[in-house]
Each structure stands twice: as C-alpha cells, then as structure tokens.
Amino acid sequence: VQLQASGGGLVQAGGSLRLSCAASGATIRNYYISWFRQAPGKEREFVAGIRVSSGHTYYADFVEGRFTVAKDNARNTVYLQMSSLKPEDTAVYSCAGSSSLITSAVRNPRQYYYWGQGTQVTVSS
C-alpha cells in the first residue's frame, strides 16, 4: 500500500487543520493507520491512530481532545482533524500503516511498515 499525506500548512494558534492520508494500491480495511509527528531536534512521536476495520481510535495524551482521527472507507483515506492548535504542535506530520500490528504496539513507529511522506504543520503564536 502507498500512503500520501497532505493538508499541512501555516495556521495561527487556536486554529484548525485537517490532514489527509490517502491510500492506494490496496484497501486499508484491515490496517491500523496512525499519525506521527516529528519536530526539529525531537524524536518522532505518536499522535493518533485508528483500526480501520473496527473504527477504534487511539490518541496520545497531549492531544487532550483537540484532535480527531477518522476514516472514509469509500475514499480509502484517514483524516486527522486538528483543532485548538498550539505552537508546540508545530512539526512534520506523517501517516503510517500496518496490517499486522498488535493493539499494544499501536504507538510504536517501528511497528509500521508503510509510511507516507510528511506534511509540515506550523502553528504561529
């Protein structure tokens, strides 16, 4: 499967963005699709994920209800709706997929086989 992330941009603090992760080459119906981010000088960290078959979602603690991950089976796409953005949310956001993940490992980037290119999110204060 190939993943393509898009939707990043520059937004003021408190604003919103919606990122898209479009899949091609295979259906993501049996995949876990997650979003990770990496800020300059920092390690990659888990943001949010979804088990596409069940719709079960997972979030990092820092999300604090501000982000929502959702799927569109018809478009073979997963979205990350981000609201109440903060300057510390500035990072390159990437989507990743795995068809053989165990739930306990959903937050581990090393468990994902497929990665889309990153999309830059910049939040100004």
Side-chain angles (χ1 to χ4, degrees), residues 49-63:
I50 186 167
R51 186 174 185 176
V52 177
S53 60
S54 65
H56 194 88
T57 56
Y58 309 85
Y59 294 96
D61 290 343
F62 64 77
V63 168

Side-chain angles (χ1 to χ4, degrees), residues 3 9 27 42 60 62 64 76 82 90 114 124:
L3 303 176
T27 175
K42 295 187 176 181
F62 64 77
E64 299 175 322
N76 215 29
M82 303 187 295
T90 295
Y114 307 102
S124 63

Side-chain angles (χ1 to χ4, degrees), residues 33-82:
I33 301 293
S34 289
W35 289 93
F36 292 84
R37 70 185 188 184
Q38 188 166 21
K42 295 187 176 181
E43 292 188 355
R44 178 179 286 170
E45 62 180 350
F46 172 81
V47 178
I50 186 167
R51 186 174 185 176
V52 177
S53 60
S54 65
H56 194 88
T57 56
Y58 309 85
Y59 294 96
D61 290 343
F62 64 77
V63 168
E64 299 175 322
R66 300 180 297 127
F67 299 174
T68 300
V69 60
K71 62 185 176 78
D72 185 332
N73 289 337
R75 290 182 166 82
N76 215 29
T77 298
V78 168
Y79 301 98
L80 181 67
Q81 177 69 47
M82 303 187 295

Side-chain angles (χ1 to χ4, degrees), residues 2 7 10 31 49 69 74-76 78 105 107 117-118:
Q2 293 82 45
L10 173 64
Y31 279 66
V69 60
R75 290 182 166 82
N76 215 29
V78 168
R107 293 172 174 79
Q117 87 291 354

Side-chain angles (χ1 to χ4, degrees), residues 20 22-23 30 35 40 42 49-50 52 74 82 84 89 95 98 112 118 122:
S20 299
N30 295 315
W35 289 93
K42 295 187 176 181
I50 186 167
V52 177
M82 303 187 295
S84 301
D89 293 318
C95 58
S98 176
Y112 290 81
T122 302

